Amino acid sequence: MTVQLSPTPRGARLARLLTTEQLRTWGLPSDPARQIIAELAVNAATHGRVQGRDFRLTLYVVADVLRIEVTDTRGERLPRPEQPGPDAESGRGLLLVEALADRWGVAEGRFPRKTVWAELRLTPPEPTF
C-alpha cells in the first residue's frame, strides 16, 4: 500500500486510519504498527512539511516483517531521537518508535527526500537458551 497525504494533522490522522484498515484487510494486528505510523506521520507533517508537497506512506510485508516507510521532502532535516526535558510536552515520538519497532532508521533519497522506516517482526522471535 502506498498513499500520498497532506503534511497536516488531518493527513497524519488519515495515515493512521488507512493503516488500521489495511492491516485489518491483511489479517494483521494493528498495534504497535498504528502507534509507529502515528508518530512518523506526525513528524512528517510537523518537521518534514514543505508547503505544497505531500508526504508518502508505504506499507508492505516481506516474509515475516511489516515494513513501514514515511517519506517527506525535508531531506536536510534528518531525525534523531533526543531526550526531552521532564516538563516537555512533545519530543518523545522517535523514542516510542525506537521502543516499539524491531528496527528503524532513515534512508536519504533523491534530494530533497528522506524516508524514515520501521520494521515489525510478525512472528515472535525464536527463544534463546
Side-chain angles (χ1 to χ4, degrees):
M1 172 187 109
T2 297
V3 63
Q4 298 284 123
L5 299 159
S6 66
T8 62
R10 183 174 185 226
R13 185 173 55 253
L14 186 55
R16 191 184 74 244
L17 294 171
L18 290 171
T19 295
T20 301
E21 181 59 24
Q22 183 63 59
L23 294 174
R24 187 191 65 73
T25 300
W26 288 342
L28 299 174
S30 62
D31 288 319
R34 184 175 53 175
Q35 183 65 38
I36 291 170
I37 287 165
E39 297 301 336
L40 296 182
V42 164
N43 282 354
T46 304
H47 306 293
R49 182 181 183 145
V50 173
Q51 187 68 27
R53 295 182 185 168
D54 294 340
F55 74 92
R56 182 176 64 227
L57 167 66
T58 302
L59 300 174
Y60 57 93
V61 176
V62 175
D64 64 346
V65 174
L66 171 65
R67 173 100 171 188
I68 300 161
E69 298 178 351
V70 176
T71 303
D72 66 47
T73 55
R74 291 295 300 264
E76 77 281 4
R77 296 186 73 182
L78 299 180
R80 294 183 321 269
E82 296 179 7
Q83 280 295 349
D87 296 333
E89 294 183 13
S90 64
R92 293 174 180 82
L94 287 177
L95 295 174
L96 284 171
V97 171
E98 194 169 67
L100 295 172
D102 292 303
R103 291 182 347 130
W104 80 278
V106 180
E108 294 182 61
R110 233 176 82 206
F111 186 80
R113 294 174 193 82
K114 73 169 176 301
T115 299
V116 182
W117 57 269
E119 293 179 346
L120 292 169
R121 194 175 307 113
L122 298 173
T123 57
E126 294 294 320
T128 56
F129 298 98

